[in-house]
Amino acid sequence: MIKRLWNWFWSPTSRYTWGAIFVVGGVAGIVFWGGFNTFMEHTNTLHFCTSCHEMSGKPYAEYKKSVHYRSASGVRAICSDCHVPKDWTAKLIRKVRATNELYHKIIGTIDTPEKFESHRLEMAERVWASMKASDSRECRNCHAYEAMDFHKQSRRSAKKMQEGLEEGKTCIDCHKGIAHKLPKGYVDEDDD
Ligand code: HEC
Ligand code: HEC
Ligand code: HEC
Ligand code: HEC
């Protein structure tokens, strides 16, 4: 039975054996998969994001002044660390959604600082909503509550955060505007 299957597998159909088709297909699949993953990695680099987000100046310039760009410890968070999930499926969903950004790039939705500013609150609200929905998952990839030494934090930090997190608040509820300036017209209700 196995032998027959084997012979069938390797016997020529018209010109190629199923085996050959299978092997070639497999190789093509691996090449495609490799290329796809390289693409996924490339689209996570700082350079890739700023290739569009530099022109309107804001997100990149402001981020460069933040502790997430340069700090005493030298640990850097790049755009994708905060904006693109690590988990494979969530990442793919975010990338597919990002094709919308391609469209807005073409029609020039945020191609001047003025346009960017007037569109900013709306964009920021989308970011906050998705961070809230994921319980600030991307922040927690680096800042684990369990790993915080509250004794080493300022009294204010330790008190506010322990209380807040126990009440079920999430990082982004209290830490908006940590990498960029807050949008004009935004009124903070959660903090303090
Ligand atoms: C092809 C150009 C382009 C590239 C590359 C690009 N963006 Fe964007 N991005 C845009 C445009 C245009 C908008 C405004 C979209 C809108 O109004 O819906 C935007 C909006 C955003 C927003 C606002 C929130 C939202 O959901 O709309 C975030 C956050 C963002 N981009 C992050 C990133 C990150 C992180 C990267 C790199 C992984 C990146 N972008 C790469 C053009 C780009
Ligand atoms: C790639 C890792 C990484 C990610 C992702 C990250 N951070 Fe940070 N964060 C850091 C590092 C490193 C510092 C600087 C520590 C130091 O001072 O040496 C920092 C500092 C901070 C500080 C205190 C310093 C300040 O003045 O702002 C806050 C608050 C903070 N992060 C909140 C957040 C929030 C909220 C998110 C999610 C939106 C986030 N972080 C995502 C690594 C990260
Ligand atoms: C209820 C509000 C609240 C929540 C929720 C909260 N924080 Fe904070 N956090 C604060 C306050 C207030 C400070 C003091 C500094 C300040 O005024 O911004 C602080 C300080 C910090 C600092 C600096 C600590 C120090 O003293 O050096 C980091 C880092 C930080 N928060 C990260 C996080 C992360 C990550 C989360 C989610 C796991 C989180 N926070 C959740 C209110 C909050
Ligand atoms: C430490 C986390 C962090 C990093 C790093 C980061 N962002 Fe953001 N980003 C945020 C948060 C949080 C918001 C929501 C608005 C706010 O609170 O400032 C945001 C908002 C945005 C927006 C919406 C417009 C606005 O200003 O609110 C854009 C566009 C954006 N980010 C792009 C980028 C790009 C491009 C980079 C890299 C150059 C980057 N971000 C790096 C956390 C981050």
Side-chain angles (χ1 to χ4, degrees):
M1 174 63 197
I2 302 229
K3 182 116 205 298
R4 264 181 51 205
L5 204 65
W6 183 252
N7 284 339
W8 167 80
F9 192 66
W10 288 107
S11 68
T13 48
S14 50
R15 266 164 81 184
Y16 310 104
T17 64
W18 278 111
I21 291 167
F22 190 74
V23 168
V24 171
V27 170
I30 290 165
V31 170
F32 173 77
W33 183 245
F36 184 67
N37 273 319
T38 310
F39 172 76
M40 292 284 276
E41 301 231 320
H42 172 69
T43 55
N44 254 6
T45 59
L46 180 62
H47 178 78
F48 175 76
C49 306
T50 54
S51 67
C52 285
H53 284 286
E54 193 158 39
M55 45 171 195
S56 51
K58 309 268 174 163
Y60 189 39
E62 292 168 0
Y63 153 74
K64 271 173 84 177
K65 291 194 199 120
S66 82
V67 67
H68 286 104
Y69 181 74
R70 185 169 275 142
S71 70
S73 54
V75 181
R76 176 177 288 178
I78 60 170
C79 323
S80 51
D81 288 327
C82 290
H83 290 293
V84 182
K86 288 242 183 316
D87 166 69
W88 215 90
T89 8
K91 179 152 126 190
L92 192 62
I93 293 169
R94 175 66 182 88
K95 300 267 155 154
V96 170
R97 243 176 15 89
T99 49
N100 169 53
E101 294 181 27
L102 202 60
Y103 165 74
H104 283 279
K105 162 81 178 167
I106 294 163
I107 64 166
T109 308
I110 54 169
D111 62 2
T112 66
E114 294 73 31
K115 282 195 196 166
F116 181 84
E117 214 45 67
S118 65
H119 200 52
R120 183 174 215 164
L121 183 58
E122 190 190 323
M123 289 189 289
E125 274 167 353
R126 280 203 294 266
V127 175
W128 291 327
S130 74
M131 287 185 179
K132 219 173 148 65
S134 73
D135 188 13
S136 314
R137 179 183 51 212
E138 279 67 52
C139 313
R140 289 185 294 104
N141 281 338
C142 291
H143 298 274
Y145 178 65
E146 308 78 53
M148 282 185 184
D149 186 343
F150 291 105
H151 298 290
K152 288 206 174 134
Q153 293 179 349
S154 69
R155 291 237 323 265
R156 181 179 141 83
S157 305
K159 183 166 178 290
K160 285 275 180 191
M161 283 201 281
Q162 277 168 307
E163 285 170 5
L165 292 166
E166 263 158 38
E167 282 167 19
K169 286 199 174 155
T170 184
C171 320
I172 199 64
D173 286 328
C174 301
H175 293 292
K176 297 182 173 73
I178 40 125
H180 319 286
K181 286 208 183 106
L182 285 166
K184 285 200 190 79
Y186 168 71
V187 194
D188 200 344
E189 293 149 2
D190 284 305
D191 204 11
D192 295 333

